[in-house]
Amino acid sequence: MSTSSIEATSIPQPQRPWRQAKRAWRQAIVMLVVSVVGATLLMQVTGLAGVIGSYVAFALVFPVVAFLASMKYGKKAGQDKMASAIICLAFGTAFMPWMSILFTVFNRGREAFYSGFLTTDMLVNSSDQPLNMGGLSHAIVGTLILIFIASMVAIPLGIITAIYIVEVKGRFASYARFFTQAMSGVPSIVAGLFIYTTIVVVVFNRFNALAGGLALAILMLPTVARTAEEVLKLVPDDLRAASYAMGASQFSTVFRIVLPTVRSGLVTASILGVARVAGETAPLLLTSQYFVQLTTNILDGPMASLPTYIFANLGAGSDTSVARAWGGSAVLMSIVFILFVTARLLGGRNTKSRH
Amino acid sequence: MESTDLKQREIVIRRGLADRIFRRAMATGAILSLSLLALIASFLLFRGFEVFRDFGFSFITSAKWDSGSADGVTPASFGIAAMLVGSVVTAIIAITVALPFAICVALFLEYYAPSFIRKPLTAVLDLVAAIPSVIYGIWGYTILNNLAAGWAKSLNSWFDWIWFFKVPAPIFTRSPFIAGLLLALMILPITTSVAREVYSQAPRDQIDAAYGLGGTKWGAIRSVVMPFGRSGLVGGAMLGLGRALGETVAVYLVLNLVFKINLQILASAGGNVASLIATRFSEATPYELKGLMAAGLVLFLVTLAVNATATLIVNRARNTA
């Protein structure tokens, strides 16, 4: 019994009948060529033109060609191929505008950048001056302050709500769960109006950044609460049972066992909440408004923020101010991206953002 | 050995002081965040009450919004019919455009995409969901507006025998159509993610059974996956609808605010309640401000109703799966 006799016989290769045969590839290329020719003809007839027009023509012709090409295997096969073609094309089409947004933001935003763009404010410069004067330091600082205020309110409250729903399981747990979900659909401008009527008008009688932060907190709360709830549910009940069996109270079980277990998940929940509100504009228009100077007084007077900076510069209308708005968009987009990637890296795979 | 009086001991939970305080504190926090919705509604009602009282039902049915002259010669008149119709029209355009794409993208990610690009694509989808609305707005204002005006022109020249594709004047920018397209793009991520979630829970054994009967992939999707995901999809669409109804800045930037009920979606006139508030807020008289509060309350109640219904549907779809 030697192994050599086994090696001598040829080892059968696994059959892979589902693999695309060479013929299938050839057919795909033929289909593509036919579709391009068909699309060109269609463009002649209908007057579709330009890059987008040719794409539309192609998207109209290709599924039909796919259908006809598979008709020799029967109608069902034809429908199947046509559905695949439509689904893949629709997917590609849906992603195009987003790619356009990201590309445009960073491409147009580049113009506004110079060495002092991130470090100067607009106190001594007007927005239609050349792009090498003034910047958006005031807006960045303002956004950070607003986010800080919102986080101080929304993160504890959101996590407490989640603890109430998952750990305490009190009488109102199902209501709390339902209404935090429904709350995520509150229009941002309504949150702004609410804070305006209460904090701005009644308490301070002037626009201020604290009001802006609180308005953002309302919008941030549901995201934090929902995501934290999902995270807490991931904690295995064995851990809680073990803790109780050791004689621990619920208080120490939650704070010494449950919360430390999901620390990174809670951080993710918080970051997702921040990413949700970092770009909110409408509530800030009614609460913290816009100001050209870097200010840090949160109780008195308006404060700039990146979204309102973009909004104000877009409204100013001159070429340079619109360029500044694009520059602001690039900075805002980068901040949201960084937050998002951080949340992904910290949270791992099993933390899902909830809406 | 006979024990006839074996009784189950009553379970009594005696919580320590720390636990009682802890539970009370958590409940207080949760009820605080719960009561925010009631607080919002009551404060807006309190501030806007005067306008509701003065205009009654015509606040909803009248399309005229006029803050009146300072000397009181022309009286103020507030009605949000045009804006409400505008909100609904743009939101319906948005969901009509977004829903087919949401279905296709969800099906692609769940059943067509090769497994190695599924994860990165899902991450990209989550990422674009976080694009701030003001960035959609600036993109819509500078890029989409001109682009879609051309499409609107073609639609108008081909389909002007359909009444809502007619226009009073050949101006195609800043129309409800364009606002609807932008909103479609903004609500696509949320609708897609709900659709993807319900489609991913379609019973694997039934799909395999469909294949086993000799069905094609499309056959399995049409006869198993789609019927299974239908109710969840309705919920996802309504969530998107709620978002589209309440969007402010993006609509403000791409839509021409006109106080006239306009159902011609390609015409350069429209509005929505949220952008009305944003537009009029900065120069509003105290009385007009109350009108805006009342408008905000109407918007709040409408979106809350839509969202609550959507949440119920989505939760049910999640739980039955």
Side-chain angles (χ1 to χ4, degrees), chain A residues 135-151:
Chain A
L136 42 58
S137 66
H138 57 313
I140 295 177
V141 171
T143 285
L144 293 180
I145 291 175
L146 287 169
I147 286 177
F148 180 76
I149 299 169
S151 307

Side-chain angles (χ1 to χ4, degrees), chain A residues 47 179 187 234 249 353:
Chain A
F179 281 108
L234 294 176
S249 64
S353 159

Side-chain angles (χ1 to χ4, degrees), chain A residues 46 48 52 76-77 79-80 83-84 86-88 90-91 93-95 97-102 104-105 157 160-161 163-164 168 172 175-179 181-190 193-194 196-198 201-202 207 218 221 226 249-251 254-255 275 279 281-282 285-286 289 307 310-311 314 325-326 329 332-333 336-337 340 344 349 352 354-355, chain B residues 15 18-19 22-23 25-27 29-34 36-37 39-40 43-44 47 101 104-105 107-109 112 119 121 123-128 130-136 138-139 141-143 147 151 158 185 188-190 193-194 197 216-218 222 239 243 246 248-249 252-253 274 277-278 281 289 292-293 296 299-300 303-304 307-308 311-312 315 318:
Chain A
T46 54
L48 287 166
I52 295 176
K76 292 277 182 209
Q79 284 174 349
D80 182 51
S84 308
I86 290 174
I87 285 171
C88 294
F91 175 80
T93 315
F95 266 71
W98 285 320
M99 295 307 118
S100 162
I101 290 177
L102 298 183
T104 323
V105 162
L157 206 54
I160 285 176
T161 309
I163 291 177
Y164 179 75
V168 176
F172 304 105
Y175 298 101
R177 185 156 184 273
F178 179 73
F179 281 108
Q181 259 176 299
M183 206 169 159
S184 67
V186 170
S188 54
I189 189 111
V190 170
L193 267 182
F194 169 65
Y196 173 77
T197 60
T198 51
V201 174
V202 179
F207 292 109
I218 293 180
L221 179 63
R226 292 281 298 136
S249 64
Q250 186 172 32
F251 174 76
V254 168
F255 280 92
T281 319
L285 293 175
L286 313 191
Q289 301 210 307
I310 297 168
F311 196 74
L314 198 58
W326 281 110
S329 305
L332 179 60
M333 203 69 242
V336 173
F337 272 16
F340 214 83
R344 280 257 149 189
R349 277 125 244 100
K352 264 206 269 177
R354 287 288 187 191
H355 19 262
Chain B
R15 297 189 193 281
D19 264 10
F22 161 74
R23 291 174 69 90
M26 296 298 121
I31 289 167
L32 189 68
S33 49
L34 194 71
L36 259 178
L37 286 173
L39 271 179
I40 292 174
F43 264 94
L44 292 182
R47 296 281 167 188
F101 280 106
C104 288
V105 173
L107 286 177
F108 180 82
L109 287 175
Y112 285 87
K119 271 232 171 93
L121 284 179
V124 170
L125 201 65
D126 283 347
L127 191 79
V128 297
I131 297 179
S133 60
V134 69
I135 289 181
Y136 278 106
I138 183 174
W139 180 81
Y141 179 81
T142 49
I143 309 281
L147 210 58
W151 307 342
W158 294 333
L185 200 56
L188 190 52
I190 188 174
S193 79
V194 175
E197 197 178 327
T216 55
K217 185 179 250 181
W218 173 241
R222 212 186 51 178
L239 274 183
R243 292 287 195 286
T248 315
V249 190
Y252 174 92
L253 288 172
I277 298 171
F281 178 81
L289 212 48
L292 293 180
M293 298 292 166
L299 175 65
F300 176 69
T303 48
L304 192 65
N307 264 297
T311 306
L312 276 179
N315 282 353
R318 252 181 213 147

Side-chain angles (χ1 to χ4, degrees), chain A:
Chain A
M1 289 298 275
S2 68
T3 49
S4 60
S5 67
I6 298 174
E7 275 164 20
T9 58
S10 68
I11 301 170
Q13 288 296 309
Q15 297 285 306
R16 286 193 283 180
W18 58 83
R19 200 170 49 169
Q20 292 244 330
K22 268 220 178 84
R23 227 187 54 217
W25 284 110
R26 220 177 302 136
Q27 196 198 3
I29 291 167
V30 171
M31 266 165 60
L32 221 58
V33 172
V34 172
S35 307
V36 170
V37 172
T40 322
L41 286 176
L42 188 71
M43 284 171 71
Q44 300 299 325
V45 178
T46 54
L48 287 166
V51 179
I52 295 176
S54 32
Y55 178 76
V56 170
F58 178 77
L60 289 176
V61 171
F62 186 70
V64 179
V65 174
F67 178 72
L68 294 176
S70 307
M71 267 304 273
K72 63 180 170 192
Y73 303 114
K75 209 177 102 198
K76 292 277 182 209
Q79 284 174 349
D80 182 51
K81 278 284 173 297
M82 189 158 97
S84 308
I86 290 174
I87 285 171
C88 294
L89 280 170
F91 175 80
T93 315
F95 266 71
M96 262 181 234
W98 285 320
M99 295 307 118
S100 162
I101 290 177
L102 298 183
F103 173 76
T104 323
V105 162
F106 289 109
N107 192 38
R108 299 280 297 264
R110 249 182 6 199
E111 287 171 33
F113 274 84
Y114 78 106
S115 55
F117 188 59
L118 298 175
T119 51
T120 47
D121 63 17
M122 296 296 285
L123 180 62
V124 293
N125 303 102
S126 76
S127 62
D128 47 5
Q129 277 181 316
L131 288 171
N132 59 1
M133 302 161 102
L136 42 58
S137 66
H138 57 313
I140 295 177
V141 171
T143 285
L144 293 180
I145 291 175
L146 287 169
I147 286 177
F148 180 76
I149 299 169
S151 307
M152 284 299 103
V153 178
I155 292 175
L157 206 54
I159 293 179
I160 285 176
T161 309
I163 291 177
Y164 179 75
I165 295 170
V166 180
E167 301 294 331
V168 176
K169 296 195 182 79
R171 222 176 320 159
F172 304 105
S174 58
Y175 298 101
R177 185 156 184 273
F178 179 73
F179 281 108
T180 43
Q181 259 176 299
M183 206 169 159
S184 67
V186 170
S188 54
I189 189 111
V190 170
L193 267 182
F194 169 65
I195 294 295
Y196 173 77
T197 60
T198 51
I199 309 290
V200 174
V201 174
V202 179
V203 182
F204 289 98
N205 202 18
R206 61 171 74 77
F207 292 109
N208 60 50
L210 180 64
L214 291 176
L216 294 186
I218 293 180
L219 300 166
M220 190 171 161
L221 179 63
T223 310
V224 177
R226 292 281 298 136
T227 315
E229 185 198 328
E230 296 294 327
V231 167
L232 287 179
K233 275 190 196 154
L234 294 176
V235 178
D237 262 340
D238 296 358
L239 279 182
R240 295 189 186 97
S243 168
Y244 290 137
M246 302 291 279
S249 64
Q250 186 172 32
F251 174 76
S252 39
T253 304
V254 168
F255 280 92
R256 294 203 184 154
I257 307 293
V258 176
L259 292 186
T261 311
V262 290
R263 190 183 292 135
S264 69
L266 294 178
V267 173
T268 304
S270 313
I271 295 177
L272 286 174
V274 170
R276 159 87 177 75
V277 297
E280 278 295 346
T281 319
L284 299 182
L285 293 175
L286 313 191
T287 50
S288 61
Q289 301 210 307
Y290 176 67
F291 194 53
V292 290
Q293 191 186 1
L294 197 160
T295 52
T296 50
N297 186 346
I298 61 167
L299 297 179
D300 187 14
M303 182 183 279
S305 56
L306 280 169
T308 51
Y309 172 88
I310 297 168
F311 196 74
N313 276 294
L314 198 58
S318 71
D319 281 352
T320 52
S321 71
V322 171
R324 284 174 202 280
W326 281 110
S329 305
V331 174
L332 179 60
M333 203 69 242
S334 315
I335 290 178
V336 173
F337 272 16
I338 291 166
L339 285 172
F340 214 83
V341 172
T342 319
R344 280 257 149 189
L345 292 181
L346 281 175
R349 277 125 244 100
N350 35 19
T351 319
K352 264 206 269 177
S353 159
R354 287 288 187 191
H355 19 262

Side-chain angles (χ1 to χ4, degrees), chain B residues 116-253:
Chain B
F116 69 95
I117 60 166
R118 190 171 296 160
K119 271 232 171 93
L121 284 179
T122 315
V124 170
L125 201 65
D126 283 347
L127 191 79
V128 297
I131 297 179
S133 60
V134 69
I135 289 181
Y136 278 106
I138 183 174
W139 180 81
Y141 179 81
T142 49
I143 309 281
L144 183 71
N145 204 2
N146 297 322
L147 210 58
W151 307 342
K153 201 172 173 183
S154 318
L155 273 179
N156 176 253
S157 63
W158 294 333
F159 298 111
D160 66 345
W161 41 274
I162 306 173
W163 60 272
F164 57 81
F165 282 142
K166 286 194 172 77
V167 285
I171 303 166
F172 295 101
T173 51
R174 296 170 68 79
S175 65
F177 170 69
I178 295 173
L181 287 186
L182 190 60
L183 286 173
L185 200 56
M186 297 176 74
I187 63 174
L188 190 52
I190 188 174
T191 312
T192 304
S193 79
V194 175
R196 215 168 63 80
E197 197 178 327
V198 290
Y199 284 160
S200 72
Q201 290 166 340
R204 190 69 232 182
D205 50 349
Q206 287 184 30
I207 297 173
D208 288 342
Y211 286 144
L213 289 170
T216 55
K217 185 179 250 181
W218 173 241
I221 286 173
R222 212 186 51 178
S223 55
V224 178
V225 179
M226 302 264 258
F228 181 84
R230 190 169 296 145
S231 67
L233 193 67
V234 171
M238 283 187 72
L239 274 183
L241 193 72
R243 292 287 195 286
L245 283 171
E247 179 49 46
T248 315
V249 190
V251 173
Y252 174 92
L253 288 172

